[in-house]
Amino acid sequence: GENVEQHPSTLSVQEGDSAVIKCTYSDSASNYFPWYKQELGKRPQLIIDIRSNVGEKKDQRIAVTLNKTAKHFSLHITETQPEDSAVYFCAALPRAAGNKLTFGGGTRVLVKP
Amino acid sequence: GAVVSQHPSRVICKSGTSVKIECRSLDFQATTMFWYRQFPKQSLMLMATSNEGSKATYEQGVEKDKFLINHASLTLSTLTVTSAHPEDSSFYICSAYGTGDEAFFGQGTRLTVV
């Protein structure tokens, strides 16, 4: 089955700086890669996603890049703000997995004012 | 987007009792729903896939007799934690898909077994 590795597990940045989170996946059949933000005790919220036919996608301060050959995808947050502090999860969805998402281990992001 | 509602949001139960958690798709039909468990400071781990009108499929290592799943309608799946023990204390979350690839999550249920 699919295996998703996520790094780093914790990330502390100064407000205004950029944050980068990296994930790798193992199943070349994966074709959908969402990123979720989860605040303590709450449900994961989709913040951006990318499909395998696209190399990069941007939405305001958030961008995601995908390298299919290397099976890497990354989340970039620019101009970080304190409200960006949360746990972020990457995930991968293999085409034939019956919609079973596999999550990375998560990155706890702390943005210091 | 689609809305998935999960109840209760918090439950405390005594060791040995059973707890039922409901997951509803409010504005769409879901033939398949997914149940996850999340321990503190850890990721979401898929427990089982709930299939409307048929048996759930469980991930390796998840006890089907302990975590009973019923998906009796296109909008409701239930997870019953039977004979709960303190080690079952966790955050349980369901999800379902609308028409695309995006998964919609319920609010989650914080289960504490005392």
Side-chain angles (χ1 to χ4, degrees):
Chain A
E2 176 63 277
N3 181 51
V4 178
E5 300 282 342
Q6 182 172 345
H7 299 280
S9 57
T10 59
L11 181 59
S12 182
V13 296
Q14 207 65 40
E15 182 177 0
D17 288 349
S18 295
V20 180
I21 304 170
K22 298 183 178 182
C23 289
T24 59
Y25 62 99
S26 61
D27 190 343
S28 57
S30 289
N31 62 347
Y32 175 66
F33 306 92
W35 285 89
Y36 294 91
K37 176 183 180 182
Q38 188 182 29
E39 297 178 351
L40 189 63
K42 299 196 174 178
R43 76 184 93 194
Q45 297 277 6
L46 180 71
I47 56 172
I48 196 167
D49 55 16
I50 191 167
R51 288 176 170 77
S52 58
N53 59 345
V54 176
E56 185 174 357
K57 183 176 178 181
K58 189 173 181 181
D59 182 2
Q60 298 182 13
R61 297 187 296 110
I62 295 173
V64 58
T65 57
L66 171 65
N67 182 328
K68 282 173 52 180
T69 304
K71 296 188 194 141
H72 289 173
F73 58 115
S74 300
L75 178 72
H76 305 251
I77 306 173
T78 59
E79 300 171 31
T80 54
Q81 301 167 3
E83 52 265 37
D84 294 329
S85 297
V87 180
Y88 292 80
F89 293 98
C90 62
L93 181 64
R95 192 174 294 121
N99 281 358
K100 291 188 344 182
L101 273 175
T102 299
F103 286 86
T107 299
R108 187 171 301 274
V109 174
L110 175 63
V111 180
K112 295 182 284 187
Chain B
V3 178
V4 175
S5 180
Q6 187 175 339
H7 293 281
S9 58
R10 290 178 180 271
V11 58
I12 301 173
C13 71
K14 291 185 177 180
S15 189
T17 62
S18 296
V19 173
K20 180 185 283 188
I21 303 169
E22 292 189 347
C23 180
R24 293 180 185 273
S25 55
L26 295 187
D27 50 0
F28 66 103
Q29 294 182 332
T31 56
T32 303
M33 292 185 177
F34 300 89
W35 286 97
Y36 294 86
R37 179 167 52 185
Q38 186 177 31
F39 290 110
K41 298 187 178 181
Q42 293 189 24
S43 188
L44 286 81
M45 297 301 297
L46 181 65
M47 299 174 65
T49 302
S50 174
N51 304 299
E52 187 269 333
S54 64
K55 291 182 180 179
T57 53
Y58 290 80
E59 297 299 302
Q60 192 172 8
V62 177
E63 300 173 59
K64 60 181 68 176
D65 293 331
K66 180 166 187 63
F67 299 100
L68 300 179
I69 291 173
N70 184 279
H71 195 149
S73 78
L74 286 170
T75 59
L76 174 64
S77 174
T78 61
L79 168 68
T80 301
V81 183
T82 64
S83 187
H85 291 286
E87 57 265 31
D88 298 323
S89 298
S90 188
F91 194 55
Y92 292 86
I93 312 178
C94 65
S95 77
Y97 290 84
T99 56
D101 291 330
E102 182 180 350
F104 295 93
F105 290 87
Q107 302 97 314
T109 298
R110 171 76 57 196
L111 171 62
T112 303
V113 184
V114 297

